[in-house]
């Protein structure tokens, strides 16, 4: 017998408030399988069963034991009839007649958990902070009646009615009102049309089990002009629909800013996010959920993992990235499981190299440089991009490697491995403004010891790291005033403020825009279908890239202190040393994909294949590794090695790629001397 709960399961601190909590838990545990939408609900349930009922639980495999029975807990996120909604959106006529206006849509039951009051207040905040949207947008809120005989729900409706009336009275124009409010039920045809024709959907419940409105909106979108989904992380869908713009409904200013961002989002980012959302929701529709549930009902777990959790975290090691980068295991250009290309986008200062008092002292460790050099040799699989606020010449000098892509000035200058340089166009007006800003900041520096300016052409960086700590607050305030006076926003950098140019679209160029441009340039328009991306950075400029790549790339925030500042990154690392561990893990995967285990077969051909190769004694450091492919051709692949014996063994392993097995290699039984044996022949039999 099985049970599925459509609403969130509460944490222990909430569950323990119920006088009958033990009866609820024991009743649910009468089933053999218990399903929830997301992992958090499963873990909450396991925690409550352990604390209240004393059950033995295994959180790693989601099982628990009660009265000699094993109960299985399963994460089963529900889906929608995707094809049904997609078909409706294609056939239904247009109901919204507004011209030259973007529609922001909300669809909910009238319920206190849906966050309608917060949402309407956030929309008001948007109009206050961004008056340029007046008469250009309309917020359409559909509220389906629910529990209208309950006094609290009646009070909620009255509050929303008054709030919407006040906002409309405040902002309305003769031919425009900011909010259109429908209290009632609408047909599915109308709903599909609203979904299809809305530029932004705001799905911001304060708490929700899954929320299928977000999925229905995605199903009805037209990729020729897709909308943007804003989604609360407090809905179950927020844990799976990672390409949506996640926003905390309690932070009204943040909701307003995220709506503003969605309204101005470029087509390529809207298309990319919606394409990934539609692909997932189509594959994981309600039929998929039903089949998964029925399949899980027969699932039995027999092996028990008895390894206890450690009380203290061990230092990070290479193998720990098996968890962080599980999607990147067995990297290969011929990987049938997914994209075969890997793009590493790595910040320099604070990520690859430690932050220093002066930029010229932020040196790359030799082992990190050597690791990047080795990885760059896998050019058929991997591309490495070094991104920085430094100038192009300085960045390339600090790294000192060829075969990499360098994105300097936060991506305004991009140098590809083939020598082609891309320089983002900057207006003449910006050049005049940046010169005036330089003069203004120089006046500030003259009055403060330790402050200095780094002129990077289109960028200007005001440094204050060497200023006495007691004087920094006043200095920053004066510098920001100069930035504002000259029409610039003062972007935060590590112990610095930066001025950046605007693009031709009227928004500032940042690392997020630069990263998407680089990926599109290297791999083409469909880069997300063939490429996996890892981004690592340490400061706010990197957050812009992580935000643009959220749900698309695996991102790492490098922080040398126990700073709990908010980040868009998937994971946190402590230092450039841990970035080196990540690079070592990647090399390990690449080596594994290039060195498969030998294939043994009893069926051998009658005629052996003879392979001959020799070492060039004139180049003892730069040796050649010989790889023989299935057609008997050899390729010279650069490799540094201290031992020719290990090189020979590597060559033998590589021969297994051609489905051959070693028949005889007598020279390998004794230490190999290149002086006495400059040439070695191995006889092999081809596997039939």
């Amino acid at each position: 017998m099985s049970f599925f709960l459509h609403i969130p399961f509460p944490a222990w601190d909430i569950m323990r408030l119920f006088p009958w909590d033990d009866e609820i838990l024991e009743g649910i545990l009468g089933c053999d399988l218990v399903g929830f939408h997301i992992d958090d609900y499963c873990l909450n349930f396991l925690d409550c069963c352990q604390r209240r009922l004393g059950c033995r639980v295994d959180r790693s495999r989601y099982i628990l034991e009660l009265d000699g029975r094993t109960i299985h807990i399963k994460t089963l996120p529900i889906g929608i009839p995707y094809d049904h909604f997609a078909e409706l959106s294609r056939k239904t006529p247009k109901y919204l007649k507004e011209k030259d206006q973007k529609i922001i849509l909300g669809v909910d039951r009238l319920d206190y958990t849906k966050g309608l009051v917060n949402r309407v207040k956030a929309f008001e905040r948007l109009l206050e902070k961004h008056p340029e949207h007046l008469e250009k947008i309309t917020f359409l809120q559909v509220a389906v009646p629910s529990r209208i005989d309950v006094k609290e729900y009646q009070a909620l409706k009255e509050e929303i009615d008054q709030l919407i009336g006040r906002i409309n009275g405040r902002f309305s124009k003769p031919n425009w009102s900011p909010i259109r409010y429908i209290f009632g039920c609408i047909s599915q045809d109308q709903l599909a049309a609203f979904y299809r024709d809305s530029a932004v959907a705001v799905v911001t419940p304060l708490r929700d089990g899954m929320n299928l409105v977000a999925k229905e909106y995605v199903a009805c979108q037209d990729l020729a002009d897709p909308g943007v989904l804003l989604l609360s992380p407090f809905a179950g869908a927020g844990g799976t629909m990672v390409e949506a713009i996640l926003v905390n409904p309690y932070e009204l200013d943040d909701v307003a800013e995220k709506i503003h961002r969605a309204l101005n989002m470029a087509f390529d980012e809207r298309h990319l996010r919606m394409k990934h959302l539609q692909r997932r929701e189509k594959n994981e529709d309600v039929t998929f959920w039903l089949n998964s549930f029925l399949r899980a009902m027969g699932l039995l777990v027999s092996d028990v993992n008895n390894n206890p959790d450690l009380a203290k975290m061990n230092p990070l090691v290479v193998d720990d990235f098996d968890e962080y980068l599980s999607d990147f295991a067995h990297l290969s250009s011929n990987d049938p499981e997914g994209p075969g290309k890997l793009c590493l986008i790595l910040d320099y200062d604070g990520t690859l190299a430690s932050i220093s008092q002066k930029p010229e002292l932020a040196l790359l460790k030799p082992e990190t440089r050597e690791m990047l050099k080795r990885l760059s040799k896998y050019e058929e699989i991997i591309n490495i991009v070094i991104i920085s606020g430094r100038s192009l010449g300085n960045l390339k000098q600090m790294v000192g490697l060829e075969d990499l892509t360098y994105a300097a000035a936060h991506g305004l200058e991009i140098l590809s491995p083939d020598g082609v340089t891309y320089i983002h166009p900057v207006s003449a007006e910006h050049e005049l403004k940046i010169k005036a800003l330089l003069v203004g900041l120089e006046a500030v520096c003259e009055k403060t010891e330790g402050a200095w300016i780094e002129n990077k052409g289109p960028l200007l960086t005001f440094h204050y790291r060497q200023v006495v700590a007691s004087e920094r607050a006043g200095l920053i305030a004066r510098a920001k005033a100069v930035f504002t006076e000259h029409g610039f926003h003062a972007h935060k950098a590590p112990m610095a403020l930066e001025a950046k140019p605007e693009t031709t679209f009227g928004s500032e160029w940042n690392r997020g825009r630069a990263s998407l441009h680089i990926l599109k340039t290297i791999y083409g328009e469909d880069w997300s279908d063939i490429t996996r991306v890892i981004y690592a950075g340490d400061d706010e400029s990197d957050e812009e890239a992580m935000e643009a790549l959220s749900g698309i790339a695996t991102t790492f925030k490098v922080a040398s202190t126990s700073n709990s500042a908010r980040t868009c990154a998937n994971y946190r690392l402590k230092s450039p040393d841990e970035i080196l561990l990540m690079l070592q893990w990647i090399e390990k995967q690449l080596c594994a994909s290039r060195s498969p285990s030998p294939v043994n077969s009893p069926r051998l051909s009658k005629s052996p294949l003879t392979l001959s190769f020799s070492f060039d004694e004139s180049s003892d450091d730069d040796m050649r590794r010989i790889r023989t492919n299935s057609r008997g051709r050899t390729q010279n692949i650069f490799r540094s090695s201290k031992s020719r014996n290990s090189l020979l063994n590597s060559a033998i392993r590589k021969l297994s790629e051609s489905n051959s097995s070693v028949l005889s290699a007598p020279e390998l039984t004794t230490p190999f001397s290149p002086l006495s044996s400059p040439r070695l022949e191995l006889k092999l039999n081809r596997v039939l």
Side-chain angles (χ1 to χ4, degrees), residues 482-493:
V482 175
F483 274 80
T484 303
E485 179 185 348
H486 291 84
F488 287 97
H489 174 69
H491 293 269
K492 290 183 179 180

Side-chain angles (χ1 to χ4, degrees), residues 96 127 130 156 220 230 320 345 508 592:
L96 301 174
L127 298 180
H130 297 282
L156 175 63
C220 292
L230 264 65
D320 288 332
I345 307 178
E508 289 180 332

Side-chain angles (χ1 to χ4, degrees), residues 272 343 372 459 528 557 641:
L272 179 63
C343 187
L372 291 171
L459 291 179
S528 62
K557 175 69 174 286
S641 175

Side-chain angles (χ1 to χ4, degrees), residues 341-461:
K341 303 291 185 180
L342 169 64
C343 187
L344 280 174
I345 307 178
L346 307 172
D347 170 54
Y348 183 80
D349 293 279
T351 303
L352 287 173
S354 299
I355 295 289
S356 297
Q357 286 289 335
K358 295 183 178 181
E360 62 268 21
L361 298 180
L363 302 177
L364 201 61
K365 287 188 175 182
E367 51 267 41
T368 303
R369 179 178 287 107
E370 183 61 29
M371 177 58 64
L372 291 171
K373 183 178 180 180
R374 292 203 300 270
L375 288 177
S376 68
K377 300 303 176 182
Y378 292 89
E379 57 185 10
E380 72 277 13
I381 298 177
I382 188 171
N383 284 281
I384 301 175
V385 180
I386 310 298
I387 193 167
S388 173
R390 294 172 178 261
S391 66
L392 182 57
N394 180 253
L395 178 60
K396 188 174 181 182
Q397 179 185 3
M398 297 300 290
V399 178
L401 292 175
E402 304 294 334
D403 301 325
L404 307 184
T405 297
Y406 292 97
H410 301 300
L412 286 169
E413 300 177 275
I414 302 172
L415 175 64
S416 61
D418 57 7
V420 176
T421 302
Y422 166 83
I423 300 178
H424 190 78
V426 176
S427 66
E429 179 186 0
H430 173 78
E431 293 178 356
L432 294 175
K433 288 171 59 180
I434 208 79
K435 289 179 180 178
L437 176 62
L438 176 60
V439 174
L441 290 176
E442 284 175 343
V444 175
C445 292
E446 289 175 358
K447 300 177 182 179
T448 308
E449 184 178 354
W452 61 284
I453 303 167
E454 188 178 3
N455 190 350
K456 307 172 186 176
L459 291 179
L460 202 64
T461 305

